[in-house]
Amino acid sequence: MSGRAQLMWDEAVTGYDFGPDHPMDPVRLALTRRLVSAFGLDSRLDVVAAQRAGDSTLRLVHREDYIEAVKAVSADPESADGSYGLGTSDDPAFAGMHEVSALIAGQSVGAAEAVWHGDALHAVNFAGGLHHAMPGSASGFCIYNDASLAIARLLELGAERVAYVDVDVHHGDGVQAAFWEDPRVLTISLHEHPRTLFPGTGWPEETGAESAEGSAVNVALPAGIADAGWVRAFHAVVPELLADFRPQVLVTQHGADTHFEDPLAHLAVSLDAQRAVQVACHELAHAYAGGRWVALGGGGYAVVDVVPRSWTHLVGIAAGAPVEPEAEVPEEWLREVFARARVRGPGRMTDGGWPVDWKAWESGYDPADRLDQAVLATRRAVFPLRGMLP
């Protein structure tokens, strides 16, 4: 197995563009790619462009009638009428929608194939992580569910245990739905509580179908939690489950919208805590999955200040060349930011909170604390189903 990492990138993924008034501005992808390059990370990994996912691959997760509907509105955006979730305010139709969505999916599938075949130990597709798309509909800015497709491809190649860890602020509902009945896939989602945020799912009691009880795990976090609580919740749930499940591959989704600057959610997490969890995912892949790690992007709507820095940290960690939090952002990238967005970019690769201080679950919990109540609800719902003590 190669020890080098792969970065999946094709400039055409920036064509995933819902329009000038939509929060998912593709400039976040372009600026991330430029920041990765500005830090010299290109020389520390292989930059690879995979082919667009074909229909047979898309059908591993998505219904054929839905794929045909996407193709139809891709060719004629004016025909979109909201059916199949296409042509809504969240997922407005645009020319070439099918092609670029399938291209992003292809990068995640290519990442999974590279890791499974041993061409790379780690592979990153920060354009991916589009975790809301359902088998038969678009949802939440997501057309094709590249994360589910990557997992489905791993299963097709012979994987018997794949773990998916999603730390986006929104529940990873599409991935959970795709593998609800499949005990070969363990889905773990840490997200803002469904009472206060889209998509309104991801309750602790959602634990998988009868045929796969305990294979879906949801940590519903109270609005307003910050670094110490968020990192504590991750470590209170994820490592024990991965140690029990022993996945052959770890797939992670790193939506940057947990950040306190994100305009669409209500957590108060810093860039430093996001980096701490990225480091933890890397370590967990090595501890329990033989190092095999597929890392994806996701949400994130502070498109200049947060997303590029967060995902550049992710790429650096995967490449074995982590960017130091105190590192200054290269001037060439700041010029690129100003040219594209007419704003001054952030000066350093930290929000000033590194290292992140958090309290381990093993040291005790407070049953009156809102965060600890959330963690307890998850552990009590899932751990006994897996033969583990809550």
Side-chain angles (χ1 to χ4, degrees), residues 78-104:
E78 295 299 319
S79 69
D81 59 6
S83 59
Y84 294 97
L86 301 168
T88 64
S89 58
D90 274 2
D91 297 281
F94 61 90
M97 172 184 274
H98 165 73
E99 289 77 9
V100 70
S101 299
L103 181 63
I104 291 172

Side-chain angles (χ1 to χ4, degrees), residues 71-320:
K71 289 180 180 179
V73 301
S74 180
D76 180 13
E78 295 299 319
S79 69
D81 59 6
S83 59
Y84 294 97
L86 301 168
T88 64
S89 58
D90 274 2
D91 297 281
F94 61 90
M97 172 184 274
H98 165 73
E99 289 77 9
V100 70
S101 299
L103 181 63
I104 291 172
Q107 306 315 303
S108 292
V109 170
E113 291 174 341
V115 168
W116 184 254
H117 291 309
D119 298 327
L121 193 57
H122 311 324
V124 180
N125 176 25
F126 58 74
L130 303 177
H131 60 168
H132 294 307
M134 293 293 176
S137 66
S139 178
F141 313 164
C142 305
I143 307 303
Y144 294 137
N145 196 317
D146 63 284
S148 294
L149 288 163
I151 295 168
R153 178 61 174 147
L154 287 167
L155 298 177
E156 185 179 50
L157 289 170
E160 297 175 349
R161 295 179 312 282
V162 180
Y164 172 75
V165 176
D166 187 320
V167 296
D168 193 289
V169 78
H170 301 93
H171 177 224
D173 57 338
V175 184
Q176 176 178 286
F179 303 103
W180 184 251
E181 299 178 349
D182 195 335
R184 297 175 298 172
V185 181
L186 175 67
T187 65
I188 308 173
S189 179
L190 288 83
H191 48 266
E192 186 178 329
H193 201 285
R195 283 199 190 97
T196 56
L197 195 66
F198 175 91
T201 57
W203 297 79
E205 296 77 18
E206 297 172 30
T207 58
E210 185 176 351
S211 60
E213 283 190 328
S215 66
V217 183
N218 290 288
V219 187
L221 301 168
I225 69 158
D227 289 6
W230 191 65
V231 177
R232 171 175 167 82
F234 178 93
H235 283 281
V237 173
V238 177
E240 285 182 71
L241 288 168
L242 294 184
D244 171 71
F245 187 63
R246 296 280 169 171
Q248 293 164 291
V249 183
L250 176 62
V251 180
T252 58
Q253 196 267 21
H254 297 270
D257 43 9
T258 51
H259 196 273
F260 57 77
E261 286 188 20
D262 199 273
L264 299 189
H266 317 100
L267 297 191
V269 172
S270 75
L271 179 72
D272 300 292
Q274 292 177 347
R275 184 184 188 276
V277 165
Q278 293 166 3
V279 169
C281 288
H282 177 233
E283 292 173 347
L284 290 167
H286 280 279
Y288 302 121
R292 290 178 289 272
W293 183 31
V294 176
L296 308 174
Y301 309 101
V303 298
V304 171
D305 282 355
V306 177
V307 175
R309 292 188 297 158
S310 184
W311 292 347
T312 296
H313 275 307
L314 179 64
V315 172
I317 291 162

Side-chain angles (χ1 to χ4, degrees), residues 8-41:
M8 313 304 297
W9 178 256
D10 185 319
E11 194 73 26
V13 300
T14 60
Y16 193 81
D17 189 351
F18 291 113
D21 299 322
H22 197 281
M24 187 176 266
D25 189 334
V27 74
R28 69 197 193 123
L29 303 179
L31 289 177
T32 300
R33 182 67 185 93
R34 302 302 180 269
L35 189 56
V36 166
S37 180
F39 272 110
L41 295 175

